[in-house]
Amino acid sequence: MTVLDPAATAIRLFDSERDLHFFPIRHHSPACALHLREALRAIRPATVLIEGPVDFEPLITELLAPGVVPPVAMVALPDGAKKGRGGTTYYPICRHSPEFIAIREASELGATVRFIDLPSRHAAMLSDRRHRPDQPLLPMREVMFDRGAYVDAMCARTGFRDGFALWDGLFEARARGTDWRGFFASVGAYCSALRAASDPDELQTDGTLPREAMMRACIQDAIAARTGPIAVVTGGFHTPALIDAQAESVRPAGAAARSNAWLIRYDFRALDRLNGYGAGLPLPGFYERVWQRLIGDGGETGDSLTEDILVGFRAHLIESEPALAFSFPTLRSMVETARRLAELRGLSEPGRTELFDALQSSAIKEEIEVGAHPLLAAFTTYLQGDRLGDLPPGSRLPPLIERARAEARSFGLSLEDAVAKTRELDIYRKSRHGQTSRFLHAMRLVAPPFAERLKGPDRVHGFRADMLMETWTYAWSPAVEAALIERAADGETVRDVAATILIRRLGDLEREGQCNNAAAAFNLLSIAFDAGIGSAADTLVAAVSTAVGADTNLLRLTNALVMGQALDSRAKAMQSDGTVKAFADLLPPLLDRLARRIAELLPDLAAVNADTVGEAIACLAALAEAMADPDPPFPARPLRDALQGLMAAQLDPQLTGAVIALAALIGLVDEAEAGRRLSAALAGAFERPGDAIRTLSGVMALAPQLFVNDSSVITAIDNLFGAVDDQGFLDLLPQLRMAFAELSPQETDKVAAIVAAAHGAGEDDIALLQQVPDARVLTDHLALSERLRGQWQADGLAAWLGPAP
């Protein structure tokens, strides 16, 4: 493969006749940034053209405002229905981004700055086939620097292990040089070779060619309006397509700039190539340290960068991960190894690759898979960095963002970096913790990337409603700010926006034909309660009441009752909060109506058959959970009356067992009466053993203790099995296994002891039963017994067999 001559490339890059200078860069490269700074100071351009979406141009002034601390990002929000992180376009900037240096130097020189790429929301900017839906959209893409035929060939020739190490060795190692022309000529030659090895069809489909058409048109506009030298700063891959371009009369369709862009904070974790970011170099925290050294802003102590990094890493381990910390002699060995590796590889000083190699050879003695050792993982995280940029007060941001940040800080939540943190909240006994919980719940609605609840009361099922503590993990990140920007039109406070979201979801239920879904409506009400949204309560309660009156699905209604009961319980435990009390006062009439609606529909269970009995039993199980409260927040009498009526009705056998169990659980009948009813039901199904097992299964689903505690029920089941032959027993065995699956091991042992005693078996016999084979093995053994019986009878040995079964 031919490598272009850097000297020839330099002639093309710096056109003195047209006073037009092209600077091919790699995004976020400290070497490119430093050489670009020197080049711009030398040529003093009147216009600086930068590869960046044209609709981001109004943000240039904000980017240069005092108090802006990179990393930051220019973002463009989706205009249509596509929302979320995957639909937002990000253009990140850090202190060592060549684009940031170009903007800053142009400002100091009084030059005009223009962005020349397509608008951020143009179809060609969104067409990268490698983009994942859960990742941000990025107009800067540099995967061609990482792999491909040319990169592989260069790595094989030079001995570098991959495209990142190759770039570092060829270009980052030359950052301290003074020949900016020679540096960019080499970068240009390298990028021309990358371009020559690329697939032309892919350049069309991934949006590269339409973008370059836009850039050429903008360059021609600048030439036509020139007032002095022009500098063009673009990704090196694009430069060959721009140098010798002729004027183009037509820009790509849809190239008119549209501004829906904002400047937000960004962080090194999101900027890392190892986390899926499509441009720049891995571990931006490392290159930030390199940049500080290059510009003399590293707070030098006289030590080398290698020493600073490795000493700092050791101190970090001692403080945060002492089990991984290494000794001082090992540290000295690492520093020396990194220096010698750099000399061996012809580098002026160790780079990122040399640091990792030195760490692995000096501090890790055992054999490992590449990248699998925890010490290497810790070093990767350390060099990645956790810096979160900042914007000055008064930045052009929606009020929602600043109010969300202020409220988070008021609750003691740390927003200084993007590292995930954990917070324990005593939500019932500490008022401030309860307020913090409601803020975090509201943020889950408004900006989901911010917080996740790991533990806490289960507001949907209610069985953990009395849990006192919540555990949260949270982190302020660029995705959080982007989410808040997207919601800014919905309100100026987190709770106002959360209320808007819930009202909108209520509308979605109606559009989806779910406005009569009591469980879905109650779920929205529960979310509103958790988030402390009093402003949406009246509207949501009215919608829930309407849904309760119209819903005919018993499972949804009983699930709603469980949610409502849990909600009432939590509200009573937090009555000290005025907002919660006002919310709680709305619940009793709603729960009253819900209970009466369920009672009204319970008689319909008489029409349930075997195909639909599963849902009916789930309804009764939810009702059992709700009515277990000795003082429920709803009227129990209508429900008890309706269940009394069901007990007298002719029901599906499985439902019969469940109704008997529920009646015993809520005290409608005592356990003795429940046992008698169950024994009678089993006796009535004597001719239909399958129905008897289904009756037992219904009991087991709700109250297996009724079966365990009543010997008459066990006797009835035992008699039932005694009346069926071997094949009949095998046919019933799968159903029986499912029914008994509800029993605990202790309950199973208790039943076994009662049955064994009834048949005169002792403890030794019971011990043998602990090794019961599965159904297939038992079938094989019975078949073998029958064959042996037939053979013995044929041999005249029938008397040995005893009485026939």
Side-chain angles (χ1 to χ4, degrees), residues 159-233:
F160 290 107
R161 69 187 56 175
D162 57 32
F164 294 125
L166 177 66
W167 174 270
D168 281 351
L170 294 180
F171 302 110
E172 297 304 320
R174 297 170 59 184
R176 295 187 183 276
T178 58
D179 179 13
W180 57 265
R181 291 179 181 272
F183 175 83
F184 282 114
S186 296
V187 174
Y190 182 76
C191 293
S192 294
L194 289 175
R195 180 78 180 220
S198 299
D199 182 354
D201 293 336
E202 186 173 342
L203 299 184
Q204 180 64 49
T205 57
D206 71 3
T208 296
L209 298 185
R211 293 177 61 194
E212 290 170 348
M214 177 68 174
M215 295 182 204
R216 287 193 291 269
C218 290
I219 292 170
Q220 295 302 323
D221 290 346
I223 292 173
R226 82 162 53 248
T227 58
I230 299 173
V232 182
V233 181

Coordinates of all heavy atoms in Angstrom, one line a residue, residues 159-233:
G159 N 5.3 -2.5 14.5 CA 5.4 -3.2 15.7 C 4.4 -2.7 16.8 O 4.4 -3.2 17.9
F160 N 3.6 -1.7 16.5 CA 2.6 -1.2 17.4 C 1.4 -2.2 17.4 O 1.1 -2.8 16.4 CB 2.1 0.2 17.1 CG 3.1 1.3 17.3 CD1 3.8 1.9 16.2 CD2 3.5 1.6 18.6 CE1 4.7 2.8 16.4 CE2 4.4 2.6 18.8 CZ 5.1 3.2 17.7
R161 N 0.8 -2.3 18.6 CA -0.2 -3.4 18.8 C -1.5 -3.1 18.2 O -2.3 -4.0 17.9 CB -0.3 -3.8 20.3 CG -1.0 -2.7 21.1 CD -0.9 -3.1 22.6 NE 0.4 -3.3 23.0 CZ 0.8 -3.5 24.3 NH1 -0.1 -3.6 25.2 NH2 2.1 -3.7 24.6
D162 N -1.9 -1.8 18.1 CA -3.2 -1.5 17.6 C -3.2 -0.1 17.0 O -2.2 0.6 17.1 CB -4.3 -1.7 18.6 CG -4.1 -0.9 19.9 OD1 -3.5 0.2 19.8 OD2 -4.5 -1.3 21.0
G163 N -4.4 0.3 16.5 CA -4.4 1.7 15.9 C -4.2 2.8 16.9 O -3.7 3.8 16.5
F164 N -4.6 2.6 18.1 CA -4.4 3.7 19.1 C -3.0 3.8 19.4 O -2.4 4.9 19.5 CB -5.2 3.3 20.4 CG -6.7 3.3 20.3 CD1 -7.4 2.2 20.6 CD2 -7.4 4.4 19.8 CE1 -8.8 2.2 20.5 CE2 -8.7 4.4 19.6 CZ -9.5 3.3 20.0
A165 N -2.3 2.7 19.7 CA -0.8 2.8 20.0 C -0.1 3.3 18.8 O 0.9 4.0 18.9 CB -0.3 1.4 20.4
L166 N -0.5 3.0 17.6 CA 0.1 3.5 16.4 C 0.0 5.0 16.3 O 1.0 5.7 16.0 CB -0.5 2.8 15.1 CG 0.0 3.3 13.8 CD1 1.4 2.9 13.6 CD2 -0.9 2.7 12.7
W167 N -1.2 5.5 16.5 CA -1.3 7.0 16.5 C -0.4 7.6 17.6 O 0.2 8.6 17.3 CB -2.8 7.3 16.8 CG -3.0 8.8 16.9 CD1 -2.9 9.6 18.0 CD2 -3.2 9.8 15.8 NE1 -3.1 10.9 17.8 CE2 -3.2 11.1 16.4 CE3 -3.3 9.7 14.4 CZ2 -3.4 12.2 15.7 CZ3 -3.5 10.8 13.7 CH2 -3.6 12.1 14.3
D168 N -0.5 7.1 18.8 CA 0.4 7.7 19.8 C 1.8 7.7 19.4 O 2.5 8.7 19.6 CB 0.2 6.8 21.1 CG -1.1 7.2 21.9 OD1 -1.7 8.1 21.5 OD2 -1.4 6.5 22.8
G169 N 2.3 6.6 18.9 CA 3.7 6.5 18.5 C 4.1 7.4 17.4 O 5.2 8.0 17.4
L170 N 3.2 7.6 16.4 CA 3.5 8.4 15.2 C 3.3 9.9 15.5 O 4.1 10.7 14.9 CB 2.7 7.9 14.0 CG 2.9 6.5 13.5 CD1 2.0 6.3 12.3 CD2 4.4 6.4 13.0
F171 N 2.3 10.2 16.3 CA 1.9 11.6 16.4 C 1.9 12.2 17.8 O 2.5 13.3 18.0 CB 0.6 11.8 15.7 CG 0.5 11.4 14.3 CD1 -0.2 10.2 13.9 CD2 1.3 12.0 13.3 CE1 -0.1 9.8 12.6 CE2 1.3 11.6 12.0 CZ 0.6 10.5 11.6
E172 N 1.3 11.6 18.7 CA 1.3 12.1 20.1 C 2.7 12.3 20.6 O 3.0 13.2 21.4 CB 0.4 11.3 21.0 CG -1.1 11.2 20.7 CD -1.7 12.6 20.5 OE1 -1.4 13.5 21.4 OE2 -2.5 12.8 19.6
A173 N 3.6 11.4 20.2 CA 5.0 11.4 20.7 C 5.7 12.7 20.1 O 6.8 13.0 20.6 CB 5.7 10.2 20.3
R174 N 5.1 13.3 19.1 CA 5.7 14.5 18.5 C 5.1 15.8 19.0 O 5.3 16.8 18.4 CB 5.6 14.4 16.9 CG 6.3 13.2 16.3 CD 6.0 13.0 14.9 NE 6.3 14.2 14.1 CZ 6.0 14.3 12.8 NH1 5.4 13.3 12.1 NH2 6.3 15.4 12.1
A175 N 4.4 15.7 20.1 CA 3.6 16.9 20.5 C 4.6 18.1 20.9 O 4.2 19.2 20.7 CB 2.8 16.5 21.7
R176 N 5.8 17.7 21.4 CA 6.7 18.8 21.9 C 7.5 19.4 20.7 O 8.3 20.3 21.0 CB 7.6 18.3 23.0 CG 6.8 17.9 24.2 CD 7.8 17.5 25.4 NE 7.1 17.1 26.6 CZ 6.6 18.0 27.5 NH1 6.7 19.3 27.3 NH2 5.9 17.5 28.5
G177 N 7.3 18.9 19.5 CA 8.1 19.4 18.4 C 7.7 20.8 18.1 O 6.6 21.3 18.5
T178 N 8.5 21.5 17.3 CA 8.2 22.9 16.9 C 7.8 23.1 15.5 O 7.4 24.2 15.0 CB 9.4 23.8 17.2 OG1 10.5 23.3 16.5 CG2 9.7 23.8 18.7
D179 N 7.9 22.0 14.7 CA 7.6 22.1 13.3 C 6.1 21.7 13.0 O 5.8 20.6 12.7 CB 8.6 21.2 12.5 CG 8.3 21.2 11.0 OD1 7.6 22.1 10.5 OD2 8.8 20.3 10.3
W180 N 5.3 22.7 13.1 CA 3.9 22.4 13.0 C 3.5 22.0 11.5 O 2.6 21.2 11.2 CB 3.0 23.5 13.5 CG 3.2 24.9 12.8 CD1 4.0 25.9 13.3 CD2 2.6 25.4 11.6 NE1 3.9 27.0 12.5 CE2 3.1 26.7 11.5 CE3 1.8 24.9 10.7 CZ2 2.7 27.5 10.4 CZ3 1.4 25.7 9.6 CH2 1.9 27.0 9.5
R181 N 4.3 22.6 10.6 CA 4.0 22.3 9.1 C 4.3 20.8 8.9 O 3.6 20.1 8.3 CB 4.9 23.2 8.2 CG 4.4 24.6 8.2 CD 5.3 25.4 7.3 NE 4.9 26.8 7.3 CZ 4.0 27.4 6.4 NH1 3.4 26.6 5.6 NH2 3.7 28.6 6.5
G182 N 5.5 20.4 9.4 CA 5.9 19.0 9.2 C 4.9 18.0 9.9 O 4.6 16.9 9.4
F183 N 4.5 18.4 11.1 CA 3.6 17.6 11.8 C 2.3 17.4 11.1 O 1.8 16.3 10.8 CB 3.3 18.2 13.2 CG 2.2 17.5 14.0 CD1 2.6 16.4 14.7 CD2 0.9 17.9 14.0 CE1 1.6 15.6 15.5 CE2 -0.1 17.2 14.7 CZ 0.3 16.1 15.4
F184 N 1.6 18.5 10.6 CA 0.4 18.3 9.9 C 0.5 17.7 8.5 O -0.4 17.0 8.0 CB -0.3 19.7 9.8 CG -1.0 20.1 11.1 CD1 -0.5 21.2 11.8 CD2 -2.1 19.4 11.6 CE1 -1.1 21.6 13.0 CE2 -2.7 19.8 12.8 CZ -2.2 20.9 13.5
A185 N 1.7 17.9 7.9 CA 2.0 17.2 6.7 C 2.0 15.7 6.9 O 1.4 14.9 6.1 CB 3.3 17.6 6.1
S186 N 2.6 15.2 8.0 CA 2.6 13.8 8.3 C 1.2 13.3 8.6 O 0.8 12.2 8.1 CB 3.5 13.5 9.5 OG 4.8 13.9 9.2
V187 N 0.4 14.1 9.4 CA -1.0 13.7 9.7 C -1.8 13.6 8.4 O -2.5 12.7 8.1 CB -1.6 14.7 10.7 CG1 -3.1 14.3 10.8 CG2 -0.9 14.6 12.0
G188 N -1.6 14.6 7.5 CA -2.3 14.6 6.2 C -1.9 13.4 5.4 O -2.8 12.8 4.7
A189 N -0.7 13.1 5.3 CA -0.3 11.9 4.5 C -0.9 10.6 5.1 O -1.4 9.8 4.3 CB 1.2 11.8 4.5
Y190 N -0.9 10.5 6.4 CA -1.4 9.3 7.0 C -2.9 9.3 6.8 O -3.5 8.2 6.4 CB -1.2 9.5 8.5 CG -1.7 8.3 9.4 CD1 -1.0 7.1 9.4 CD2 -2.8 8.5 10.2 CE1 -1.4 6.1 10.2 CE2 -3.3 7.4 11.0 CZ -2.6 6.2 11.0 OH -3.0 5.2 11.8
C191 N -3.6 10.4 6.9 CA -5.1 10.4 6.7 C -5.4 10.1 5.2 O -6.5 9.5 4.9 CB -5.7 11.7 7.1 SG -5.6 11.9 8.9
S192 N -4.6 10.6 4.3 CA -4.8 10.3 2.8 C -4.7 8.8 2.6 O -5.5 8.3 1.8 CB -3.8 11.1 2.0 OG -4.0 12.5 2.1
A193 N -3.8 8.2 3.2 CA -3.7 6.7 3.0 C -4.9 6.0 3.6 O -5.4 5.1 3.0 CB -2.4 6.2 3.7
L194 N -5.4 6.5 4.8 CA -6.6 5.9 5.3 C -7.8 6.1 4.4 O -8.6 5.2 4.2 CB -6.9 6.6 6.7 CG -6.0 6.3 7.9 CD1 -6.5 7.1 9.1 CD2 -6.1 4.8 8.3
R195 N -7.8 7.2 3.8 CA -8.9 7.5 2.9 C -8.9 6.6 1.6 O -9.9 6.1 1.2 CB -8.8 9.0 2.5 CG -9.9 9.5 1.5 CD -11.2 9.7 2.2 NE -12.3 10.2 1.3 CZ -13.1 11.1 1.6 NH1 -13.1 11.7 2.8 NH2 -14.1 11.4 0.8
A196 N -7.6 6.4 1.1 CA -7.5 5.6 -0.1 C -7.9 4.2 0.2 O -8.3 3.5 -0.8 CB -6.0 5.7 -0.6
A197 N -7.7 3.7 1.4 CA -8.1 2.3 1.7 C -9.5 2.1 2.1 O -9.9 1.0 2.5 CB -7.2 1.9 2.9
S198 N -10.3 3.2 2.1 CA -11.7 3.1 2.5 C -12.6 2.7 1.4 O -12.3 2.9 0.2 CB -12.2 4.4 3.0 OG -11.4 4.8 4.2
D199 N -13.8 2.1 1.7 CA -14.8 1.7 0.8 C -15.6 2.9 0.3 O -16.3 3.5 1.2 CB -15.7 0.6 1.4 CG -16.7 0.0 0.5 OD1 -16.8 0.6 -0.7 OD2 -17.4 -0.9 0.9
P200 N -15.6 3.2 -0.9 CA -16.4 4.4 -1.4 C -17.9 4.3 -1.1 O -18.6 5.3 -0.8 CB -16.1 4.5 -2.9 CG -14.8 3.7 -3.1 CD -14.8 2.6 -2.0
D201 N -18.4 3.0 -1.3 CA -19.8 2.9 -1.0 C -20.2 3.2 0.4 O -21.2 3.8 0.7 CB -20.3 1.4 -1.4 CG -20.2 1.1 -2.8 OD1 -20.2 2.1 -3.6 OD2 -20.0 0.0 -3.2
E202 N -19.3 2.8 1.4 CA -19.6 3.0 2.8 C -19.5 4.5 3.1 O -20.3 5.0 3.9 CB -18.5 2.3 3.6 CG -18.9 2.4 5.1 CD -17.9 1.6 6.0 OE1 -17.3 0.7 5.4 OE2 -17.9 1.8 7.2
L203 N -18.7 5.3 2.4 CA -18.6 6.7 2.6 C -19.9 7.4 2.2 O -20.3 8.4 2.7 CB -17.5 7.3 1.7 CG -16.1 6.8 2.1 CD1 -15.0 7.6 1.3 CD2 -15.8 7.0 3.6
Q204 N -20.6 6.8 1.2 CA -21.9 7.4 0.8 C -23.0 7.0 1.8 O -23.8 7.9 2.3 CB -22.3 6.9 -0.6 CG -23.7 7.4 -1.1 CD -23.6 8.9 -1.3 OE1 -22.7 9.4 -1.9 NE2 -24.6 9.6 -0.8
T205 N -23.0 5.8 2.3 CA -24.1 5.3 3.2 C -24.0 5.9 4.6 O -25.0 6.0 5.3 CB -24.2 3.8 3.2 OG1 -22.9 3.3 3.6 CG2 -24.5 3.2 1.8
D206 N -22.7 6.1 5.0 CA -22.6 6.6 6.4 C -22.6 8.1 6.5 O -22.4 8.7 7.6 CB -21.3 6.1 7.1 CG -20.0 6.7 6.5 OD1 -20.1 7.6 5.6 OD2 -18.9 6.3 6.9
G207 N -22.9 8.8 5.4 CA -23.1 10.3 5.4 C -21.9 11.1 5.2 O -21.9 12.3 5.2
T208 N -20.7 10.4 5.0 CA -19.5 11.2 4.8 C -19.5 12.1 3.6 O -19.1 13.3 3.6 CB -18.3 10.2 4.7 OG1 -18.2 9.5 5.9 CG2 -17.0 10.9 4.4
L209 N -19.9 11.6 2.4 CA -19.9 12.4 1.2 C -20.8 13.6 1.2 O -20.4 14.7 0.9 CB -20.2 11.5 0.0 CG -19.2 10.3 -0.2 CD1 -19.6 9.6 -1.5 CD2 -17.8 10.8 -0.3
P210 N -22.1 13.4 1.7 CA -22.9 14.7 1.8 C -22.3 15.7 2.8 O -22.4 16.9 2.6 CB -24.3 14.1 2.3 CG -24.3 12.7 1.9 CD -22.9 12.2 2.0
R211 N -21.7 15.2 3.8 CA -21.1 16.2 4.8 C -20.0 16.9 4.1 O -19.8 18.1 4.3 CB -20.6 15.4 6.0 CG -21.7 14.8 6.9 CD -21.1 14.0 8.0 NE -20.3 14.8 8.9 CZ -19.5 14.3 9.8 NH1 -19.3 13.0 10.0 NH2 -18.8 15.1 10.6
E212 N -19.2 16.2 3.4 CA -18.0 16.9 2.7 C -18.5 17.8 1.6 O -17.9 18.9 1.4 CB -17.1 15.8 2.2 CG -16.4 15.1 3.3 CD -15.6 13.8 2.8 OE1 -15.8 13.4 1.6 OE2 -14.8 13.3 3.6
A213 N -19.6 17.5 1.0 CA -20.2 18.5 0.1 C -20.6 19.8 0.7 O -20.3 20.9 0.2 CB -21.4 17.9 -0.6
M214 N -21.1 19.7 1.9 CA -21.5 20.9 2.7 C -20.2 21.6 3.1 O -20.2 22.9 3.0 CB -22.2 20.4 4.0 CG -22.6 21.6 4.9 SD -23.8 22.7 4.2 CE -24.1 23.8 5.6
M215 N -19.2 20.9 3.5 CA -18.0 21.6 3.9 C -17.3 22.3 2.8 O -16.9 23.5 2.9 CB -17.0 20.6 4.5 CG -17.4 19.9 5.8 SD -16.1 18.8 6.4 CE -17.1 17.7 7.4
R216 N -17.3 21.7 1.6 CA -16.7 22.4 0.4 C -17.5 23.7 0.1 O -16.9 24.7 -0.3 CB -16.7 21.4 -0.8 CG -15.7 20.3 -0.7 CD -15.5 19.6 -2.0 NE -16.7 18.8 -2.3 CZ -16.8 17.5 -2.0 NH1 -15.9 16.9 -1.3 NH2 -17.9 16.9 -2.4
A217 N -18.8 23.6 0.2 CA -19.7 24.7 -0.1 C -19.3 25.9 0.8 O -19.2 27.1 0.4 CB -21.1 24.4 -0.1
C218 N -19.2 25.6 2.1 CA -18.9 26.6 3.1 C -17.5 27.2 2.9 O -17.3 28.4 3.1 CB -19.0 26.0 4.5 SG -20.7 25.6 5.0
I219 N -16.5 26.3 2.5 CA -15.2 26.8 2.2 C -15.2 27.8 1.0 O -14.6 28.9 1.0 CB -14.2 25.7 1.9 CG1 -14.0 24.8 3.2 CG2 -12.9 26.2 1.3 CD1 -13.3 23.5 2.9
Q220 N -16.0 27.5 0.0 CA -16.1 28.4 -1.2 C -16.8 29.7 -0.8 O -16.4 30.8 -1.2 CB -16.9 27.7 -2.3 CG -16.2 26.5 -2.9 CD -14.9 26.8 -3.4 OE1 -14.6 27.9 -4.0 NE2 -13.9 25.9 -3.3
D221 N -17.7 29.7 0.1 CA -18.4 30.9 0.6 C -17.3 31.8 1.3 O -17.3 33.0 1.2 CB -19.5 30.6 1.6 CG -20.7 30.0 0.9 OD1 -20.8 30.0 -0.3 OD2 -21.6 29.4 1.6
A222 N -16.5 31.1 2.1 CA -15.4 31.9 2.9 C -14.4 32.5 1.9 O -14.0 33.6 2.1 CB -14.8 31.0 3.9
I223 N -14.1 31.7 0.9 CA -13.1 32.3 -0.1 C -13.7 33.5 -0.8 O -13.0 34.5 -1.0 CB -12.7 31.1 -1.1 CG1 -11.9 30.0 -0.4 CG2 -12.0 31.7 -2.3 CD1 -11.6 28.8 -1.3
A224 N -15.0 33.4 -1.2 CA -15.6 34.5 -1.9 C -15.7 35.7 -1.0 O -15.7 36.9 -1.5 CB -17.0 34.1 -2.3
A225 N -15.8 35.5 0.3 CA -15.9 36.7 1.2 C -14.6 37.0 2.0 O -14.6 37.7 3.0 CB -17.1 36.4 2.2
R226 N -13.5 36.5 1.5 CA -12.3 36.5 2.2 C -11.8 38.0 2.6 O -12.0 38.9 1.8 CB -11.1 35.8 1.5 CG -10.5 36.7 0.4 CD -9.1 36.1 0.0 NE -9.1 34.7 -0.4 CZ -8.5 33.8 0.3 NH1 -7.9 34.1 1.4 NH2 -8.5 32.6 -0.2
T227 N -11.3 38.1 3.8 CA -10.7 39.3 4.2 C -9.2 39.1 4.7 O -8.6 40.0 5.2 CB -11.5 39.9 5.4 OG1 -11.5 39.0 6.5 CG2 -12.9 40.3 5.0
G228 N -8.7 37.9 4.5 CA -7.4 37.5 4.9 C -7.2 36.0 4.9 O -8.0 35.3 4.3
P229 N -6.2 35.5 5.5 CA -5.9 34.1 5.5 C -7.1 33.3 6.1 O -7.8 33.7 7.0 CB -4.7 33.9 6.4 CG -4.1 35.3 6.4 CD -5.2 36.3 6.3
I230 N -7.3 32.1 5.5 CA -8.4 31.2 5.9 C -7.7 29.9 6.5 O -6.9 29.3 5.8 CB -9.3 30.9 4.8 CG1 -10.0 32.2 4.3 CG2 -10.4 29.9 5.3 CD1 -10.9 32.0 3.1
A231 N -8.2 29.5 7.7 CA -7.7 28.2 8.2 C -8.9 27.3 8.3 O -10.0 27.6 8.7 CB -7.2 28.4 9.6
V232 N -8.7 26.0 7.8 CA -9.8 25.0 7.8 C -9.4 23.9 8.7 O -8.4 23.2 8.4 CB -10.0 24.5 6.3 CG1 -11.2 23.5 6.3 CG2 -10.3 25.7 5.4
V233 N -10.1 23.7 9.7 CA -9.8 22.6 10.7 C -10.9 21.6 10.7 O -12.0 21.8 11.1 CB -9.7 23.2 12.2 CG1 -9.4 22.2 13.2 CG2 -8.8 24.4 12.2

